[in-house]
Amino acid sequence: MSGPVSAQPTSSRNGGKDKWMSRPPQSPADCPPGLEFLKDLDYLNFQQTVDSRDMCCGAQNTYKIRNKLGEIVYDVTEETNVCGRICCGPNRHFYMTITDQRGEEVVLLNRPIRCDACCCCCCLMKVAVQQPNGVLVGYVKQKWSLWKAHLEIQNSEMEPQIRIKEGPCCPCRCLTDIEFPIFTEDCSQQIGRCTKFWSARKERVNMDHEDFIMTFPKELDVQTKMCLIGAGFLLDYMYFEMS
């Protein structure tokens, strides 16, 4: 596999603000519908939508996932309730619906409620990644670690594919960018990274409005890339989500 790709977030709030990525003319025969957009990508920028409603406890988190050109690849909407947001905070159970430019559901991310105590090995974080018809794409599972983040990307047969390790020892939401290296299954080679950018440094907005990028090898299969998207959101809720 190729080495990690170095890139900086695109200024997608300018020229490419509302432009969607063109649908690829062809998709692999075994590619689930909607995942063909990921085939030739090695970079994704996750940006939380900033809205005046974000100041209300009932507002849902919404995101746009963009490519290097700032074009929108997917819209993402968290589906949860006010009670869960208030009582459970970032540890709440949620569904995240990922849709394409036609508004059609591509993937559903399902995370059960969990505690954030890393010493409690029976309540580790996980996300199931599934198609709208219920067919599993894969899993993102937290592996027990006393100090640092350790996530394992698994396929639908629960076979390990990729690992994300060596993040920060504790949540840090300001003053610095945070990087989570992405490794091969045996951790012998770093193949990418997930980087959380401190948005308040660049924009005078609430620090809870997320902005992070993920880089990975282009040759990864689309199912693994979609599971990496799920891993990005799980890291966001584990470390940076405030409400």
Side-chain angles (χ1 to χ4, degrees), residues 113-128:
I113 187 172
R114 286 291 189 268
C115 68
D116 58 1
C118 62
C119 59
C120 187
C121 58
C122 63
C123 292
L124 297 176
M125 305 287 184
K126 69 175 181 179
V127 168

Side-chain angles (χ1 to χ4, degrees), residues 48-89:
Q48 186 172 1
T49 305
V50 179
D51 193 297
S52 59
R53 293 174 300 172
D54 293 340
M55 301 304 293
C56 173
C57 64
Q60 304 281 52
N61 286 334
T62 59
Y63 304 82
K64 293 191 182 297
I65 300 179
R66 301 177 185 270
N67 60 17
K68 280 182 179 178
L69 301 177
E71 299 169 331
I72 302 171
V73 183
Y74 298 117
D75 271 333
V76 184
T77 303
E78 177 192 356
E79 298 179 13
T80 188
N81 54 56
V82 176
C83 180
R85 295 176 67 91
I86 295 175
C87 298
C88 303

Side-chain angles (χ1 to χ4, degrees), residues 23 27-38 74 98-100 102 104-108 130-133 135 137 222-223 226:
R23 184 176 294 271
S27 61
D30 59 346
C31 179
L35 268 63
E36 64 270 14
F37 291 98
L38 299 174
Y74 298 117
I98 299 179
T99 56
D100 62 16
R102 296 184 293 199
E104 297 178 352
E105 291 188 10
V106 174
V107 155
L108 182 68
Q130 60 190 61
Q131 298 177 48
N133 60 6
V135 175
V137 175
V222 294
Q223 290 89 342
M226 182 55 75

Side-chain angles (χ1 to χ4, degrees), residues 36-47:
E36 64 270 14
F37 291 98
L38 299 174
K39 180 178 180 294
D40 295 321
L41 298 184
D42 59 4
Y43 169 103
L44 292 171
N45 181 198
F46 301 62
Q47 290 182 338

